[in-house]
Amino acid sequence: MTSDTVTTAARGAEGASALFERRFGRAPAVIASAAARVNLIGEHTDYNGGEVLPIAIARRTYVALGTADGSASHAVSATEKGEGSFDARRPARGGGWWDYLAGVVHELEAAGTAVPQLAAAVWSDVPAGAGLSSSAALEVATGAAIETLIGEGRSLKEMALLCQRAESQFVGVACGIMDQFAAALGREGHALHVWCDTAETEHVPMHDAVLIFDTAVPRSLRGSAFNTRRAECDAALALLRERDPELRTLADAEPEFVRQAGLPDTLARRALHVSEETRRVRATVTALKAGGSLPGPLLLASHASLRDLYECSSPELDWFVERAMKAPGVGGARLTGAGWGGCAIAVGGEDALNAAAPEIARDYEARFGRVPRVWLTRAHAGGRVDVSPTR
Ligand code: NG1
């Protein structure tokens, strides 16, 4: 993995720089990058004030940047079609991939930072739509590049918070803070423990290899079902507050309190998942801090809860978890991300995962007629500046 990562880093910065030169006829002033992420445990807890434990992975998005003359900013991408343009003074949503860049500029302007017109070139090896948060990687890389260009001294954490506002308010995807935090604050050899209610974070040693398995099932239900779950969680919290007006978040509710609250069945199941999943994050963090590996049983319990209580799994994701657990040396597996298709993970020894991956992929294709995508990763660095301006 290490040599792969080095190659990717060199290719990414060079790719962004070469694209910039081709389009704009000069070298970029700055290049910054941010990572894709995968969540180890803590699913559907971020928007309920709970805890999450993602890692940044060895797939990255690079943004090469300079200032532009004239009254418009321009953006090109090595992977996305179409050239974007927007006015950095008054960015408006256009429906294109460059909305993520325009959104970051919009939030910077809203925070009182005057952003000059920009020229931007994007290079990425993060697959879009696979549940690896390609949008957060693009936002954070953009934010880090602009910050380096204009030098207002914002930290990566402040930038991640600003990027989350860009995604939820400008682009209009009501996400929590997990994705941008992982893309920005991930650290090699560590998972990122995030308290989503206070935005506090800590790095927890995590040296396990993680197999990411993309079921290649389009997440067509995801948007509407995700919103339904959010509404159910809000409704459950409102009812629990009738019994305990002091209850701050759904994640704060103890499992026993949820069980005895007499909530309507569906709301009780959603609330119990959020409550227990947050406590599974804490138990996982404790195990990692004690020098252990990711505890397989907790990952399996998380999956069972997502399947039975939160009802966001799919036949393909359930099949993967069951099949992965039959492979020698695999210690745990679960769906990751919102569910309803998308990705799952398995953990265990690197050799075991390497041996299991092609066999599982072959069986999956035979069973479902879809070709999965599979990556083996470890915890990598989040946001960083790859090339700074020479002042
Ligand atoms: P995915 O499905 O990986 O995009 C979504 C949310 C996360 C979190 C998880 C569920 C977006 C952009 N991201 O992740 O914030 O809520 O679901 O744990 O909606």
Side-chain angles (χ1 to χ4, degrees), residues 37 39 42-47 52 130-133 135 167 173-180 219 222 226 230 306 334 336-340:
R37 68 99 178 99
N39 192 20
E43 222 62 82
H44 293 285
T45 49
D46 62 348
Y47 54 87
V52 293
L132 300 179
S133 288
S135 55
E167 176 130 6
V173 178
C175 63
I177 190 59
M178 164 166 67
D179 304 344
Q180 289 77 14
R219 303 195 296 164
R222 183 195 171 285
F226 191 85
R230 288 194 72 132
L306 290 160
R334 57 180 287 274
T336 183
W340 297 287

Side-chain angles (χ1 to χ4, degrees), residues 4 49 67 97 128 166 177 209 243 271 285 334 376:
D4 263 15
T67 53
W97 60 268
I177 190 59
R243 301 187 126 228
V285 167
R334 57 180 287 274
L376 191 68

Side-chain angles (χ1 to χ4, degrees), residues 45-113:
T45 49
D46 62 348
Y47 54 87
N48 285 305
E51 297 167 37
V52 293
L53 192 68
I55 56 170
I57 67 170
R59 296 221 152 216
R60 307 185 67 79
T61 296
Y62 292 79
V63 174
L65 207 68
T67 53
D69 297 331
S71 56
S73 294
H74 301 279
V76 287
S77 161
T79 43
E80 300 294 329
K81 289 202 184 70
E83 175 164 330
S85 82
F86 57 89
D87 179 357
R89 296 273 167 241
R90 268 178 307 277
R93 211 169 73 182
W97 60 268
W98 53 88
D99 276 356
Y100 295 104
L101 287 86
V104 173
V105 173
H106 178 265
E107 291 305 324
L108 281 164
E109 298 272 356
T113 299

